């Protein structure tokens, strides 16, 4: 199962676990899809994952050839004054000319151990980024489900409080009638009125709580959720299978995205040690150079064209770098 498909399947499983009706499951999935495209926290995780994927092509560039081109053109002006010995006459020479040059160089690494290790390290860092992104998807599912069922709970709580207020209101009306006919005291009426006022206060609190929960859901999906589908009247929640904790713990240790991200991070840190240690190793490159230069001859007479071609191997053997390599290795 790919990491990108896990959040969607997890959402379907969550809807089934809640023993919701088909309409509620579809409603929950729609809310989840809206949150995928709107939630700022998930959008930040998506952008972070996209940035993390760029580590692989960056590391691959260290194994591929690099080509550089240069070019220059200069305007030159020179002035010569010449006085022969024993003569007061001065001979002057002035030259104005352009010199043009261009060149290209190619370097193909043959052996740079740190570049190979960095390439392996980049693969692990991409794995970490993907696992972290998948974890963010599952966290979004939990936040959406929490916000969704918080709204349902607040809605049901408001209905219960309103039903209680209606019942207490009926008791208040009955108490007032009993007082009018003389079968009850004014104290009974005041007591019923107090209970009704308390029920009214509870209703206001429940309405405020429902509005807060609806706003929290709206902040996740970016629009008004509307009327949500309710749970079935006699919904039965099936217990998890298996019913013991140990298999779930083992599955989490083996398949958890958070664990996978940390394992990749630990392995990448080990590669970082090897990259630092590779500063002691020699490097070998294929080097090719081509250059061309055009300039006038002496005293501006004629032109001189120069072409240079080079192809060879370049070996670099680090001998002593002030202890920086050892320090970076210890740091890694």
């Amino acid at each position: 199962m790919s990491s990108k498909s896990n959040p969607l399947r997890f959402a379907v499983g969550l809807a089934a676990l809640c023993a919701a009706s088909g309409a509620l499951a579809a409603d929950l999935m729609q809310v989840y899809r809206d949150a995928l495209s709107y939630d700022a926290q998930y959008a930040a995780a998506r952008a972070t994952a996209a940035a993390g994927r760029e580590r692989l092509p960056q590391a691959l560039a260290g194994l591929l050839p690099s080509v550089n081109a240069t070019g220059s053109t200069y305007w030159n002006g020179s002035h010569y004054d010449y006085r022969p010995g024993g003569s007061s006459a001065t001979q002057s020479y002035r030259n104005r000319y352009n010199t043009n040059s261009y060149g290209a160089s190619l370097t193909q690494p043959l052996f740079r151990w740190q570049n190979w290790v960095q390439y392996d390290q980049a693969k692990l860092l991409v794995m970490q980024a993907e696992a972290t992104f998948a974890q963010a998807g599952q966290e979004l599912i939990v936040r959406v489900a929490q916000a969704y069922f918080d709204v349902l709970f607040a809605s049901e709580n408001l209905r219960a409080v309103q039903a209680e207020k209606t019942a207490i209101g009926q008791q208040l009306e009955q108490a007032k009638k009993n007082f009018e006919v003389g079968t009850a005291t004014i104290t009974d009426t005041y007591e019923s009125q107090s209970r009704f006022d308390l029920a009214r206060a509870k209703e206001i609190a429940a309405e405020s709580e429902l509005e807060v929960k609806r706003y929290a859901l709206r902040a996740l999906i970016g629009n008004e959720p509307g009327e949500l589908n309710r749970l079935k009247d006699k919904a039965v929640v099936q217990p998890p299978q298996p019913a013991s904790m140990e298999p779930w713990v083992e599955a989490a240790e083996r398949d958890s995205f958070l664990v996978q991200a940390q394992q990749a991070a630990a392995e990448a840190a080990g590669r970082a040690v090897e990259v630092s240690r590779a500063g002691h190793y020699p490097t070998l490159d294929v080097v090719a150079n081509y250059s061309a230069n055009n300039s006038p001859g002496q005293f501006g007479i004629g032109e001189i064209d120069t072409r240079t071609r080079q192809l060879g191997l370049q070996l670099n053997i680090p001998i002593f770098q002030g202890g920086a390599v050892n320090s970076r290795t210890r740091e890694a």
Side-chain angles (χ1 to χ4, degrees):
M1 183 186 303
S2 65
S3 61
K4 294 183 179 179
S5 65
N6 267 333
L8 185 58
R9 297 186 183 186
F10 185 76
V12 175
L14 179 62
L17 181 63
C18 294
S21 65
L24 189 147
D27 198 9
L28 180 58
M29 288 301 300
Q30 182 58 49
V31 170
Y32 171 68
R33 283 190 289 267
D34 291 341
L36 279 176
S37 59
Y38 182 80
D39 181 62
Q41 184 174 333
Y42 185 75
R46 181 169 54 241
T48 301
R53 296 185 190 106
E54 295 302 319
R55 292 179 177 270
L56 192 58
Q58 292 172 13
L60 180 61
L63 305 177
L64 300 178
S66 61
V67 180
N68 297 299
T70 60
S72 65
T73 180
Y74 294 97
W75 181 88
N76 303 272
S78 60
H79 183 194
Y80 301 93
D81 289 332
Y82 173 68
R83 296 181 181 87
S87 173
S88 60
T90 300
Q91 298 178 5
S92 298
Y93 300 92
R94 289 177 173 83
N95 292 327
R96 293 179 176 86
Y97 57 92
N98 277 30
T99 57
N100 305 299
S101 65
Y102 61 90
S105 63
L106 180 145
T107 302
Q108 170 61 62
L110 292 182
F111 179 79
R112 292 192 183 185
W113 183 245
Q114 63 270 32
N115 291 11
W116 286 101
V117 177
Q118 285 174 344
Y119 183 62
D120 290 338
Q121 183 188 36
K123 294 179 181 178
L124 294 170
L125 292 175
V126 171
M127 290 173 56
Q128 179 189 9
E130 294 290 359
T132 302
F133 180 47
Q135 177 67 22
Q138 290 196 347
E139 290 174 355
L140 176 64
I141 293 169
V142 174
R143 289 189 289 117
V144 167
Q146 182 69 54
Y148 187 95
F149 287 107
D150 280 349
V151 172
L152 288 184
F153 178 81
S155 178
E156 295 296 333
N157 183 60
L158 176 60
R159 289 190 179 93
V161 170
Q162 289 173 338
E164 180 183 10
K165 190 193 76 168
T166 300
I168 294 176
Q170 294 174 351
Q171 294 176 0
L172 175 60
E173 292 299 324
Q174 185 65 38
K176 289 180 179 180
K177 291 180 180 179
N178 291 340
F179 175 72
E180 291 174 358
V181 299
T183 58
T185 64
I186 190 64
T187 303
D188 295 332
T189 303
Y190 288 159
E191 183 179 356
S192 297
Q193 183 67 50
S194 298
R195 289 198 301 269
F196 181 79
D197 292 341
L198 179 60
R200 176 56 184 158
K202 288 181 179 180
E203 182 185 30
I204 295 173
E207 289 173 346
S208 299
E209 180 69 11
L210 176 59
E211 185 62 27
V212 169
K213 298 304 182 182
R214 292 185 67 85
Y215 181 83
L217 182 58
R218 186 165 64 247
L220 278 175
I221 63 177
N223 54 60
E224 181 60 42
E227 188 66 25
L228 302 182
N229 287 297
R230 301 169 60 185
L231 291 171
K232 293 187 298 185
D233 293 336
K234 296 182 180 181
V236 178
V237 178
Q238 299 296 328
Q241 296 295 331
S244 59
M245 183 184 297
E246 287 75 13
W248 293 99
V249 173
E250 293 176 0
E253 292 175 346
R254 182 181 63 254
D255 300 327
S256 168
F257 288 127
L258 184 60
V259 173
Q260 292 177 13
Q262 295 303 320
Q263 288 175 341
E267 294 183 26
R271 296 295 193 281
V273 176
E274 188 65 22
V275 170
S276 299
R277 187 177 292 116
H280 287 303
Y281 302 159
T283 61
L284 181 63
D285 303 327
V286 173
V287 178
N289 295 297
Y290 174 82
S291 62
N293 183 275
N294 173 263
S295 61
Q298 189 175 15
F299 302 113
I301 301 173
E303 292 185 352
I304 300 176
D305 291 328
T306 305
R307 301 287 187 272
T308 304
R309 299 176 179 84
Q310 293 179 323
L311 177 63
L313 298 176
Q314 180 174 293
L315 176 67
N316 179 43
I317 302 177
I319 296 177
F320 181 70
Q321 302 179 52
V325 174
N326 291 333
S327 177
R328 285 194 291 266
T329 302
R330 290 192 299 270
E331 178 189 8

